[in-house]
Amino acid sequence: MTPQSQTTRFAPSPTGYLHLGHAFSALFAHEAAKKSGGRFILRIEDIDPVRCRPEFETAIYEDLAWLGLEWETPVRRQSEHLAEYRTALDRLDEMGLLYPCFCTRKDIAGEIERSGHAPHGPDGLLYPKICRAMGQAEQDERMGQGQPYALRLDMAKAQRLAGQLTWRDLVWGERRAEPDRFGDVVLARKDVPASYHLAVTLDDHLQGVTLVTRGEDLFEASHLHRLLQFLLSLDVPLWQHHALLMGPSGQRLAKRDKAETIRSLRERGFSADEVRRLAQSQKNR
Ligand code: GLU
């Protein structure tokens, strides 16, 4: 059953200026919350210290306010919650579901070339499990030497524990979760003690999000998020993945397409109403 009032969120990463696709996505989440009499949350997904910049975060607030959106404050900024992601990782570790991975991109590429086998997952080539069988002594030694490592999920073990899970998208219906498409996915990066998948899943739970709305480009991620929800005993929301806006030549809008940013439209004299309509009409093209 669909609960009547929904808590939705828009969760941009401050890695560039918001474009029309973001406007559509934010308006979509905002409307879903408002029409159900629920809550709308804005969250800043800024765990990547290299790609995220304060000026883009400021621009997010300005652009969304200009578009007429209102959100709850204080806004959750993921970079301020690394300790919570750490706690979740510790829990998965205690369950024996994580292993450290010391591989560089080159190690992984080399192994894939040697094996002649390169299955693809939603986030790229699947990890060939080089570090999974590493003994405790070698792990301790390499950590002792200060070698950087990521933490990976032992997908086979995790799936055995979870059994067959399902999740529900309001448009696409009931889905069987297929998290193994991601292989032994990274849950804590070498440079950040978290990953997009871990942080977003935990945050949606902690913030009481009941309906995850986002673009179809993240549809596959929901298979994995469903598994993480099971492993960490998190609430399971509903999902609604919406179509992506396309640029004039049919390409996906990206942050680098400057002409399509909300602020460039504003600077060119468009009103907020016009930009809202433009976002809607592009979706319906
Ligand atoms: N932070 C993600 C992005 O900017 C979106 C996360 C989500 O909606 O799950 O693409």
Side-chain angles (χ1 to χ4, degrees), residues 168-234:
R168 193 151 86 84
D169 183 287
L170 291 182
V171 174
W172 300 82
E174 189 92 355
R175 315 297 292 188
R176 289 164 71 91
E178 294 173 5
D180 48 327
R181 293 179 188 202
F182 285 82
D184 285 3
V185 65
V186 168
L187 292 187
R189 293 163 34 166
K190 279 184 179 174
D191 55 339
V192 186
S195 68
Y196 158 66
H197 297 299
L198 180 80
V200 81
T201 311
L202 191 69
D203 284 353
D204 284 340
H205 166 81
L206 293 174
Q207 297 193 284
V209 172
T210 58
L211 175 63
V212 171
T213 64
R214 59 184 171 207
E216 275 169 1
D217 54 334
L218 287 167
F219 187 89
E220 298 282 322
S222 302
H223 289 291
L224 174 60
H225 298 180
R226 180 66 190 91
L227 174 65
L228 294 175
Q229 284 153 2
F230 170 83
L231 297 172
L232 293 165
S233 309
L234 308 178

Side-chain angles (χ1 to χ4, degrees), residues 9-15 22 25 43-46 78 196 200-201 204 212-215 217-218 221 225 239 255:
R9 71 351 181 237
F10 176 57
S13 299
T15 55
H22 294 108
S25 203
R43 183 170 68 229
I44 300 294
E45 306 219 319
D46 60 347
Q78 292 188 325
Y196 158 66
V200 81
T201 311
D204 284 340
V212 171
T213 64
R214 59 184 171 207
D217 54 334
L218 287 167
H225 298 180
W239 280 263
K255 284 188 177 137

Side-chain angles (χ1 to χ4, degrees), residues 89-153:
L89 289 165
D90 287 346
R91 178 157 170 191
L92 295 173
D93 194 33
E94 279 157 24
M95 294 162 80
L97 295 175
L98 298 183
Y99 64 88
C101 171
F102 299 88
C103 288
T104 59
R105 281 174 200 275
K106 207 168 143 204
D107 295 332
I108 297 173
E111 177 59 27
I112 287 173
E113 202 181 310
R114 261 191 304 282
S115 70
H117 181 62
H120 256 277
D123 288 349
L125 291 174
L126 294 191
Y127 177 62
K129 302 179 186 172
I130 306 166
C131 287
R132 192 168 70 174
M134 188 183 294
Q136 187 71 47
E138 185 177 348
Q139 287 177 1
D140 291 348
E141 189 188 325
R142 296 176 76 158
M143 285 180 193
Q145 290 165 353
Q147 288 189 27
Y149 60 92
L151 292 174
R152 288 187 181 272
L153 181 69

